[in-house]
Amino acid sequence: MLGTVSGRHKSPHRGSSVEFAEYRKYVPGDDTRRLDWRAYARSDRFYIKEFEAETNLRAYIVIDSSGSMGFSAGDRMSKLDYAKRIASSLAYLTLQGGDAIGLSRCAESGTVNLPARRNPSHLEVILDLLENTKSEGPASLPDTLHELAEKVRQRALIIIISDFFYPPNELRDALLHLRFNKHDIAAFHLLDPQEIAFEFDRPQRFVDLEGSEVVIADPNTIADRYKSALSGFLEATRRNCMDSKSDYHRVLTDQPYDEVLADFLTARLPKKR
Amino acid sequence: MQFLNPLILGALLLAAIPVIIHLINKRRHRTIKWGAMMFLLQANRQSKGRRRLRHILILTCRVLALAALITAIARPIAGGWLGWAGNNSPETIILIFDRSPSMEVTDALGEQSKRANAITRLSKALREFGGGAKVVLIDSATREPLSLTNSTKLEELPQTGPSDAAADIPGLLTTAIEYLSASPGENAEIWIASDLQESNWQPQSGVWESLEKSFDTLPTDVPIRVLALTGDSASDTANLGVNVQRVERQGNAIIVDLQFNNQSSSEITIPVTFAIDGGSETQQSLRLSAGTTTIRKRIELASGNNSAGFGSVKLPADPNSRDNLAWFTYGDLAPLVTAVVAEPGTAADRLAIAAAPNAFNSRTAVKLTPSEWQRIDWENTSMVIWQAAIPQDEALESAMRSYVERGGQLAIFPPTKESATGEGGVRPSLLGVFFADNEPAPLDGQFSVTDWKKDTGSFANFDDGSSPALDLLFVIRRAPVSMEGGIPIALYSDDVPFATTRPIKAGAVTAFTSLPDDRWSDMLQHNVMFPALQRMIIAGASRVGGARLLDVGEPLPSVGDDWKLVSPGDASSINSLVSAGIYADRDGKFLAALNVPSAEASTERIDVAAVNALFADKPIRVFEERVTRESNLASPVWRFFAYAVLVFLFIEGLLSLPPKRGGDPDPELAAF
């Protein structure tokens, strides 16, 4: 992880830590002080000895607060509430590790950005913003991601928590933009189980959470088409995430969020030597 | 289409229930705020057209199922006779049944006659829709109301069998009205089964006006339903008919005027069979052009045959067998006798000459004075001429009435002297006839006859189309006549009758207001008196004498007790009201040939509009049965509607089935 101060995370840069990384051939311009003379004695070739540099983590959480994130079926928490818990937990863990955490909220009114800070008191600011976040209206996650990609110059971990109910091609462009700027991306794709099952006992009057659209339909008659469309969307979203080498996690809101977090964190451990 | 329970049709409004439920349900949708709208819209957009069509079909099926159910409960009946008949069941059904010969024409399939066809339809309608109604049959031959019981089968009744009598529809309606008047308060209907033959319905007759008034006297409206069997026979053979117009004996031969009716459109040659006195038959081939052909046939009798007899003319079988046989009688060689009871004088002489001209060996006039009237040979006199003051004599009145009632003709001329007034200043009358004081014409003028009845009667046109020259008569004195129930057959220019006639049973009395006397008129000079009297003699001879030529249904002369059938001898003939044939009185002295009325051969029919017009504003429904196939016998169609209910519900069920889910779960969704 690229950081401005040394920390506990591996840095993509070779640095001066004690952790040996590899040998590489000397090329003109290299610091001759880093030549391994012993290797020269053995092989009569110049090798530069490289070491792992350990830096701090800079992470940004992007939370989607569009209207669709407010959906919840029955007594389950809404996708937004679920997202808030994941975001607050990650913020806490990041700050506890001495790393910097920032927050971007994607809303109808525009994007609200909190810059990444390492200060423990920054947690309170993040939690305040999360608490005041309501789901309403249409929003544009791709725009927020594009904006973030431009704003964050240093490589960072971008954690996106959203239902990704956006046109997949727009989302793809945004993810690739982030990836192009060398950011590490993790995506939590939140879905309510009802949105997957689409089971109702009688015709419903569906009111759009993000607009004024109203549809009266008998779910039994359109379930197949609905699921077909949803399946296509899920596949496209996953492919977009894979293409942008994102760490993609599809999450149903009836899953315990602590398990989801544990899986996420555990999955990232293998990168550590 | 008719309904047995039409009130139930009001429940058709209930068919709107599915629509109402649909509209209510539309408002009762549970509202859910939905996030994944993009997929819902996509799915909904894709299936919107098909789904809407499916919903419309389901709704339509539900509405139609309900409508069909209600319609089935209303017991619909459609088409054909049943559709014609069915409605609210009346308490009484007066069934006027036309069984005239024209109803014997076979139907389109050549399987049964119109009459049999009508019986089939009426029986079925009564069985299924009579609903316990009292049925009274009035047939066209007997014209007597006959109450039918539930177990009575129309087809087995002699009153629905074939007959040779013409149908008098107005007369039958009159009988029906009389019956209904005698049974007030009944919810009745009149059903008429007829082929709408114009001669039967007599649409031009004034009797319809009086019928309408009679209908108005009934306490309630009586719906009239007419089953009009107007379909033409599909047989390849044209219907032919024969009718005897006139028979005259000339010595040892008889002259028979025959009228053939060829209803085809082309000339045909047929064998015609003649038989005399039921003996051996002779056949002759005749070529008949389309329409009516009149032929005069001379038949030589066996030598020495001086007595009266009968004969027949038979045509080959065709679609209507009833008009293929015509009967005639011929008289004996005895002359036609006219009794001239008159004041001695010119008028009496001239009347006797007019009745029996010297050139006519077959005519004899017996002149009697008024006091000698008892000498009249009632049995052998064709006509009685009375030209004298009418005495107050009950015996004369009685004898004269008896004579006329059995077919005799009485011609009454005014007396030259005024009749003496009887008690109370009233002049005595003879059969309701008495004359006023005679009156001279103005000195500078005359009484002119300007109008007379030219189609029938004493002054009818001759065979060549010319008419008696009544307009040339020079009448300078007349005695206006008063006749109870008399019908003027000729009028002076001032509308005073010149001659008045009144049928009394089989005979008739005719009164003339002037005399063949130079001081009265020149009646004998012109072609007026002679043909008039000769016609009356022939008419009387055919009834009083040994031979008669009548139509079936006409009253036979009352010459004693019942007449009995002489020929044909088969069981198909019933009596003189129903069957054609030769009838004789008990002693065998008088013969009468009863034939199918010539008008029955006519193919002229009135149309349905004319029938409706006849009944003016009466509730009438005419069902015209043109196609006489059995398939046209409509049956109750409620079953059809019941099946329709099942079909609609089945389709609705199929459409309402939830759509089949895809077999393999989607891999993306299967992960959840």
Side-chain angles (χ1 to χ4, degrees):
Chain A
M1 183 56 67
L2 191 64
T4 52
V5 295
S6 65
R8 291 186 300 176
H9 300 279
K10 286 194 296 181
S11 167
H13 301 298
R14 299 295 177 247
S16 55
S17 72
V18 294
E19 194 80 15
F20 170 77
E22 60 184 355
Y23 286 111
R24 74 169 169 82
K25 285 184 178 179
Y26 169 82
V27 292
D30 279 344
D31 187 356
T32 53
R33 287 177 297 178
R34 289 167 65 188
L35 280 172
D36 189 336
W37 296 106
R38 288 181 183 171
Y40 174 69
R42 283 197 300 270
S43 61
D44 200 22
R45 287 189 177 88
F46 294 112
Y47 286 98
I48 296 293
K49 194 175 185 181
E50 291 196 326
F51 296 90
E52 291 280 359
E54 290 183 342
T55 66
N56 66 320
L57 170 70
R58 183 180 295 272
Y60 284 88
I61 297 172
V62 181
I63 189 164
D64 178 8
S65 69
S66 64
S68 63
M69 287 292 285
F71 177 74
S72 69
D75 297 333
R76 277 192 296 274
M77 69 178 78
S78 70
K79 289 184 280 185
L80 182 62
D81 288 342
Y82 200 94
K84 283 178 181 176
R85 293 189 184 206
I86 291 178
S88 54
S89 301
L90 285 173
Y92 173 77
L93 290 172
T94 307
L95 288 172
Q96 283 294 313
D99 296 321
I101 184 79
L103 181 68
S104 284
R105 187 185 70 183
C106 163
E108 183 184 18
S109 54
T111 304
V112 177
N113 289 311
L114 288 178
R117 292 209 169 90
R118 200 180 302 113
N119 190 342
S121 62
H122 191 53
L123 179 63
E124 195 172 339
V125 179
I126 290 174
L127 293 180
D128 278 349
L129 182 60
L130 287 174
E131 188 179 3
N132 293 326
T133 298
K134 309 281 183 203
S135 62
E136 57 183 355
S140 178
L141 179 66
D143 289 348
T144 300
L145 295 180
H146 280 299
E147 190 180 329
L148 197 64
E150 292 298 322
K151 192 171 279 182
V152 179
R153 295 291 176 185
Q154 292 177 302
R155 295 178 66 176
L157 171 63
I158 309 294
I159 303 168
I160 308 167
I161 311 172
S162 170
D163 55 12
F164 294 115
F165 286 166
Y166 300 96
N169 55 339
E170 292 181 18
L171 192 66
R172 173 188 172 84
D173 291 345
L175 290 174
L176 289 176
H177 191 183
L178 285 171
R179 189 65 200 167
F180 183 77
N181 288 354
K182 307 260 192 281
H183 295 299
D184 194 5
I185 306 168
F188 286 93
H189 190 173
L190 301 188
L191 290 163
D192 190 281
Q194 178 76 319
E195 291 174 327
I196 303 294
F198 200 66
E199 286 178 347
F200 299 90
D201 55 355
R202 64 178 186 184
Q204 303 285 328
R205 185 166 173 262
F206 295 96
V207 178
D208 190 4
L209 281 167
E210 294 186 4
S212 56
E213 203 83 51
V214 177
V215 172
I216 295 173
D218 182 357
N220 287 327
T221 61
I222 61 169
D224 281 351
R225 294 179 182 281
Y226 171 87
K227 289 185 176 179
S228 172
L230 177 63
S231 174
F233 161 76
L234 292 175
E235 187 188 352
T237 305
R238 192 206 333 241
R239 193 166 53 247
N240 289 340
C241 290
M242 294 300 110
D243 291 348
S244 58
K245 294 187 170 54
S246 303
D247 186 10
Y248 178 70
H249 295 269
R250 193 178 288 166
V251 180
L252 292 182
T253 54
D254 60 350
Q255 291 178 255
Y257 69 92
D258 52 342
E259 286 180 11
V260 172
L261 275 176
D263 289 346
F264 169 68
L265 295 172
T266 307
R268 296 188 71 82
L269 278 179
K271 289 187 177 179
K272 207 170 182 179
R273 298 261 167 97
Chain B
M1 188 160 62
Q2 300 288 314
F3 295 90
L4 287 183
N5 305 310
L7 292 180
I8 291 177
L9 289 179
L12 275 177
L13 290 174
L14 297 179
I17 285 178
V19 179
I20 294 169
I21 290 175
H22 168 74
L23 293 174
I24 291 173
N25 269 346
K26 212 169 177 180
R27 292 174 173 276
R28 285 181 64 239
H29 281 128
R30 186 184 291 164
T31 299
I32 183 169
K33 292 185 175 178
W34 190 251
M37 207 66 174
M38 55 193 292
F39 316 117
L40 189 62
L41 287 172
Q42 194 177 341
N44 202 41
R45 190 164 48 244
Q46 285 175 350
S47 65
K48 198 171 181 181
R50 193 182 303 171
R51 191 162 46 86
R52 173 171 280 185
L53 176 66
R54 191 159 151 265
H55 276 170
I56 290 172
L57 285 176
I58 289 173
L59 204 57
T60 306
C61 282
R62 288 173 181 165
V63 169
L64 288 177
L66 262 179
L69 179 66
I70 292 163
T71 310
I73 294 172
R75 294 291 305 278
I77 42 180
W81 169 255
L82 300 179
W84 176 87
N87 207 333
N88 294 326
S89 297
E91 291 174 34
T92 304
I93 296 171
I94 307 284
L95 188 57
I96 292 178
F97 191 76
D98 178 357
R99 50 190 289 223
S100 62
S102 60
M103 287 286 282
E104 296 307 315
V105 175
T106 50
D107 63 14
L109 298 179
E111 291 173 354
Q112 59 178 359
S113 63
K114 290 180 179 180
R115 180 186 53 79
N117 198 344
I119 290 174
T120 307
R121 279 150 175 71
L122 287 167
S123 298
K124 192 163 186 177
L126 289 174
R127 192 165 55 248
E128 298 203 14
F129 306 108
K134 177 183 174 186
V135 180
V136 179
L137 172 72
I138 303 176
D139 73 282
S140 62
T142 67
R143 305 178 193 181
E144 292 293 328
L146 174 71
S147 289
L148 306 184
T149 61
N150 288 338
S151 58
T152 309
K153 291 184 176 174
L154 277 181
E155 52 271 34
E156 292 174 359
L157 282 174
Q159 283 83 354
T160 58
S163 87
D164 295 313
D168 175 12
I169 299 295
L172 294 168
L173 277 168
T174 305
T175 307
I177 292 171
E178 285 169 359
Y179 181 88
L180 289 173
S181 301
S183 328
E186 292 190 13
N187 170 25
E189 280 191 8
I190 295 177
W191 293 9
I192 304 173
S194 167
D195 58 357
L196 300 191
Q197 193 174 37
E198 187 170 4
S199 60
N200 293 164
W201 283 74
Q202 306 159 42
Q204 307 301 329
S205 169
V207 73
W208 286 100
E209 287 178 22
S210 57
L211 259 180
E212 195 176 342
K213 288 173 187 165
S214 303
F215 269 114
D216 291 339
T217 62
L218 294 175
T220 56
D221 265 353
V222 180
I224 299 165
R225 300 173 182 276
V226 181
L227 171 63
L229 297 123
T230 54
D232 292 322
S233 172
S235 171
D236 294 333
T237 314
N239 184 40
L240 300 170
V242 62
N243 194 268
V244 179
Q245 297 285 297
R246 189 179 73 94
V247 181
E248 184 180 342
R249 179 162 187 168
Q250 294 181 351
N252 213 30
I254 51 175
I255 307 299
V256 184
D257 285 352
L258 296 168
Q259 190 181 65
F260 293 90
N261 195 303
N262 174 10
Q263 293 180 2
S264 74
S265 56
S266 57
E267 186 181 85
I268 54 176
T269 303
I270 55 161
V272 180
T273 307
F274 296 90
I276 294 295
D277 294 332
S280 61
E281 297 178 340
T282 57
Q283 208 170 63
Q284 182 180 355
S285 186
L286 286 180
R287 180 173 295 176
L288 303 176
S289 55
T292 303
T293 306
T294 303
I295 289 172
R296 178 160 293 175
K297 169 73 176 174
R298 180 183 175 90
I299 302 174
E300 297 293 336
L301 298 174
S303 58
N305 182 354
N306 297 328
S307 59
F310 65 91
S312 65
V313 188
K314 193 164 75 174
L315 302 182
D318 61 22
N320 186 355
S321 60
R322 303 303 294 190
D323 57 2
N324 291 347
L325 186 60
W327 301 90
F328 59 87
T329 56
Y330 56 89
D332 52 24
L333 288 176
L336 301 178
V337 179
T338 301
V340 183
V341 184
E343 305 160 337
T346 310
D349 294 342
R350 290 182 176 178
L351 286 171
I353 290 170
N358 291 334
F360 277 47
N361 293 331
S362 59
R363 304 285 190 272
T364 301
V366 179
K367 286 199 284 187
L368 300 169
T369 61
S371 59
E372 294 174 325
W373 67 266
Q374 291 93 341
R375 289 176 52 198
I376 296 174
D377 180 3
W378 299 108
E379 300 297 332
N380 297 310
T381 300
S382 301
M383 181 173 71
V384 174
I385 295 175
W386 185 275
Q387 189 272 308
I390 297 170
Q392 187 89 32
D393 189 340
E394 289 184 6
L396 172 65
E397 171 82 13
S398 172
M400 205 63 88
R401 179 172 293 280
S402 170
Y403 168 72
V404 172
E405 283 182 352
R406 72 169 194 266
Q409 296 283 322
L410 171 62
I412 305 181
F413 288 84
T416 52
K417 297 172 185 170
E418 309 297 339
S419 299
T421 52
E423 293 175 6
V426 178
R427 283 192 174 147
S429 64
L430 184 58
L431 300 186
V433 177
F434 64 89
F435 292 94
D437 292 343
N438 59 57
E439 57 186 19
L443 289 176
D444 56 346
Q446 59 174 338
F447 299 114
S448 300
V449 179
T450 53
D451 190 19
W452 64 94
K453 197 169 169 56
K454 296 185 177 71
D455 51 351
T456 57
S458 301
F459 302 130
N461 287 350
F462 303 117
D463 290 346
D464 62 358
S466 63
S467 59
L470 272 81
D471 51 339
L472 300 179
L473 276 183
F474 194 83
V475 180
I476 55 174
R477 182 174 292 275
R478 68 184 183 187
V481 69
S482 175
M483 182 189 290
E484 188 183 334
I487 303 164
I489 53 173
L491 294 170
Y492 292 110
S493 58
D494 56 359
D495 285 342
V496 173
F498 167 71
T500 306
T501 192
R502 176 189 168 202
I504 302 177
K505 292 195 175 176
V509 56
T510 306
F512 298 85
T513 57
S514 193
L515 286 171
D517 186 304
D518 295 340
R519 289 162 295 179
W520 287 69
S521 73
D522 59 350
M523 281 168 71
L524 202 62
Q525 303 299 319
H526 297 289
N527 203 14
V528 173
M529 198 73 255
F530 175 72
L533 292 184
Q534 288 302 319
R535 279 170 167 166
M536 291 173 69
I537 289 168
I538 291 170
S542 68
R543 289 168 171 80
V544 177
R548 294 157 186 83
L549 202 55
L550 302 169
D551 288 339
V552 178
E554 278 193 274
L556 284 163
S558 48
V559 290
D561 293 330
D562 295 340
W563 289 70
K564 61 185 180 188
L565 188 69
V566 175
S567 183
D570 58 31
S572 62
S573 298
I574 301 166
N575 58 42
S576 61
L577 286 175
V578 176
S579 309
I582 300 295
Y583 291 79
D585 70 325
R586 176 182 286 183
D587 302 330
K589 186 178 177 185
F590 300 107
L591 289 174
L594 267 60
N595 281 309
V596 172
S598 59
E600 280 296 312
S602 168
T603 54
E604 293 293 322
R605 294 195 184 98
I606 58 172
D607 58 17
V608 173
V611 175
N612 282 311
L614 286 176
F615 290 99
D617 54 351
K618 297 287 170 298
I620 177 172
R621 181 183 293 265
V622 181
F623 173 77
E624 197 168 12
E625 182 70 3
R626 280 194 176 280
V627 182
T628 50
R629 285 179 290 110
E630 179 65 20
S631 60
N632 201 38
L633 267 178
S635 56
V637 290
W638 68 268
R639 286 188 193 90
F640 167 78
F641 284 94
Y643 292 138
V645 172
L646 295 178
V647 170
F648 287 133
L649 289 180
F650 181 72
I651 295 172
E652 191 267 350
L654 284 181
L655 291 171
S656 300
L657 281 176
K660 209 173 182 179
R661 295 294 165 89
D664 298 329
D666 196 290
E668 287 293 331
L669 302 179
F672 293 104

